[in-house]
Amino acid sequence: MNTKQKDKTYIAATYSRFPVEIVKGKGSTVTDENGKKYIDMGAGIAVNTFGLCDKEWIKAVKKQIGVFQHTSNLYYQAPCADLAEMICLKSGMKKVFFSNSGAEANECAIKVARKYGEIKKGKDFYTIVTLKNSFHGRTITTLSATGQDVFHKDFTPMTEGFVYAEANDVGSVKRAVESNKVAAIMFEVVQGEGGVIPLEKEFTDALKEIAEKEDILLICDEVQTGNGRTGELYGYMNYGLNPDVVTTAKGLAGGLPLGVTMFGGKTADILGPGMNGSTFGGNPVACAGALSILSRIDDNLCNSVKEKSEFIKRELSKGEGIKSVTGLGLMLGIETVKDSKTVVKECMEKGVLVLTAKNKVRLLPALNIDRELLEKAVKIIKEVCAEGI
Ligand SMILES: *Cc1c(COP(=O)(O)O)cnc(C)c1O
């Protein structure tokens, strides 16, 4: 059997994969089983921050593999401590907890919010307000946090303790906070899976005010928006927010599984011995990869992300067959006249890999994508969107 046949025979059918087998990659170019090359505008869903096989990243990861690959969390190890320090110094957060994925990072944030509610107001203050159309992960509890019924229907009963408010509707959040015993408000500053929809500044300002007034936590899910993706180190920095808890994963370790939950002043000391744990969390190889990535997310890189973002927006928003371009930095959603799935298919035929999010075409290229490749990809996307409409 070839790869596709084995996959279909032996792997549970949860993914509807594109008909492409990737055999190798370099930077923002990937090659399929027939030797056809593609410009990669998805970066493994915002994971390959510096593209494929980035030299510096490989060096850092290889070096750590040759020293020790795992220790368990029963012992101290430098890559994990060094990364925690780097994250805190760069973000201003106070402490972190390491896990392996976005969902786990959010699970930890939810645990901390519940404990905070109990300490501050009592055991029944555990409700978390999340937004409709959000996405927070695939575990039962992070699915419960996800404000989209389609994700719930096959797996009821869901974890209780979540209520959903309308994004960009302050009244809706206020009503949710007034009519429930609330510990936290949890949100993405740009709803990624929900269609690359940024929150409005007036809305996040209001969240900040409500949280301060009611002493409830703000939890920013930066799993997708984090690590330079939006043109700032973390997406909330575009909004002047000071969240109490920040979670991230995807692009953090440049292609290795690593999740982190960061705590601000109010939450830094909530977790105590035995209250959370993870066998692989803070794995030294993943942390070495993350140190290589995070140390290079600086003002220069962020400025180039913003500049590339402006270029894409400028070019595409004047394109035929394109109704709108939304998003921040190199996290962009394109509303097209054609069905987004058709656009993906036709782009693929022309050698460009793009993603979808709801009814949008979604772009999440590597942050260091070569300008020439980017221009070529944008030109092809524009052509595809205009063709035959
Ligand atoms: C991808 C994503 C998650 C889930 O991350 P996993 O690593 O797949 O568990 C959670 N929140 C947001 C905003 C995401 O984009």
Side-chain angles (χ1 to χ4, degrees):
M1 285 196 275
N2 66 23
T3 302
K4 278 177 204 168
Q5 290 161 335
K6 277 186 209 167
D7 186 308
K8 285 199 188 309
T9 309
Y10 294 116
I11 298 178
T14 59
Y15 302 109
S16 42
R17 302 195 205 276
F18 296 123
V20 168
E21 178 189 347
I22 293 180
V23 295
K24 63 179 177 183
K26 181 84 195 123
S28 289
T29 305
V30 297
T31 306
D32 76 6
E33 75 276 27
N34 303 314
K36 179 174 171 181
K37 284 187 160 49
Y38 303 84
I39 304 171
D40 179 12
M41 295 294 285
I45 320 185
V47 166
N48 300 326
T49 303
F50 289 111
L52 289 143
C53 298
D54 172 68
K55 272 208 185 95
E56 257 183 69
W57 178 85
I58 290 178
K59 203 172 134 201
V61 168
K62 268 192 178 165
K63 185 171 170 217
Q64 184 54 44
I65 290 179
V67 180
F68 53 82
Q69 81 275 30
H70 176 79
T71 56
S72 88
N73 279 308
L74 298 172
Y75 309 99
Y76 294 99
Q77 45 109 343
C80 180
D82 290 346
L83 179 62
E85 178 190 49
M86 187 182 286
I87 290 171
C88 289
L89 292 180
K90 276 179 160 268
S91 67
M93 300 300 280
K94 300 285 184 275
K95 280 190 179 163
V96 306
F97 177 84
F98 288 118
S99 53
N100 310 284
S101 65
E104 281 175 286
N106 285 338
E107 288 271 350
C108 176
I110 292 162
K111 285 172 86 170
V112 165
R114 286 185 169 195
K115 191 69 201 170
Y116 183 85
E118 183 197 327
I119 292 169
K120 285 284 173 168
K121 296 179 182 169
K123 198 82 189 143
D124 48 347
F125 279 79
Y126 57 76
T127 297
I128 297 175
V129 178
T130 65
L131 300 181
K132 290 182 186 166
N133 198 45
S134 56
F135 183 79
H136 296 297
R138 298 281 188 170
T139 62
I140 289 286
T141 295
T142 57
L143 272 186
S144 296
T146 295
Q148 300 189 53
D149 290 339
V150 284
F151 286 109
H152 298 171
K153 62 177 183 19
D154 295 320
F155 307 110
T156 51
M158 304 308 288
T159 307
E160 69 156 320
F162 295 93
V163 296
Y164 314 105
E166 247 1 287
N168 293 323
D169 179 343
V170 180
S172 172
V173 174
K174 280 194 173 148
R175 282 191 296 279
V177 168
E178 277 158 18
S179 50
N180 295 279
K181 293 181 173 169
V182 172
I185 306 171
M186 180 170 174
F187 55 94
E188 307 148 85
V189 289
V190 182
Q191 295 190 327
E193 304 305 311
V196 201
I197 303 164
L199 295 184
E200 286 158 11
K201 174 83 165 54
E202 298 77 55
F203 181 70
T204 61
D205 284 348
L207 292 185
K208 199 165 144 182
E209 210 181 291
I210 295 167
E212 266 164 32
K213 190 164 146 256
E214 307 286 340
D215 191 12
I216 54 186
L217 300 177
L218 287 185
I219 305 174
C220 262
D221 178 345
E222 296 267 354
V223 173
Q224 191 163 154
T225 49
N227 315 299
R229 179 55 50 190
T230 67
E232 294 289 340
L233 178 60
Y234 290 103
Y236 69 81
M237 294 171 176
N238 294 286
Y239 291 83
L241 286 170
N242 281 311
D244 303 295
V245 181
V246 177
T247 61
T248 195
K250 288 192 168 86
L252 175 61
L256 289 170
L258 184 64
V260 62
T261 312
M262 307 170 212
F263 309 110
K266 281 191 196 172
T267 53
D269 298 317
I270 297 287
L271 289 178
M275 286 174 66
N276 209 3
S278 165
T279 299
F280 284 112
N283 169 274
V285 179
C287 287
L291 280 163
S292 162
I293 298 295
L294 212 55
S295 63
R296 287 182 278 161
I297 302 177
D298 54 14
D299 287 349
N300 261 343
L301 181 82
C302 285
N303 287 337
S304 78
V305 166
K306 284 181 188 146
E307 197 265 325
K308 284 171 185 170
S309 176
E310 285 310 310
F311 165 74
I312 300 173
K313 281 185 179 170
R314 196 166 59 235
E315 283 299 310
L316 291 185
S317 53
K318 66 186 183 208
E320 250 182 277
I322 294 174
K323 294 196 226 167
S324 70
V325 185
T326 56
L328 286 177
L330 289 175
M331 178 173 176
L332 296 170
I334 314 164
E335 196 189 351
T336 52
V337 172
K338 278 187 189 174
D339 182 63
S340 60
K341 290 200 174 66
T342 309
V343 175
V344 170
K345 186 171 160 279
E346 292 177 5
C347 281
M348 197 175 287
E349 283 162 10
K350 295 190 171 190
V352 179
L353 300 181
V354 298
L355 310 170
T356 58
K358 288 274 175 78
N359 63 336
K360 303 253 189 89
V361 175
R362 177 168 50 154
L363 307 182
L364 293 164
L367 303 187
N368 67 344
I369 185 171
D370 187 80
R371 182 63 190 240
E372 235 169 87
L373 273 187
L374 180 63
E375 285 176 17
K376 209 167 140 188
V378 167
K379 189 163 167 268
I380 291 169
I381 295 166
K382 241 169 117 174
E383 277 167 19
V384 165
C385 290
E387 226 164 54
I389 55 162

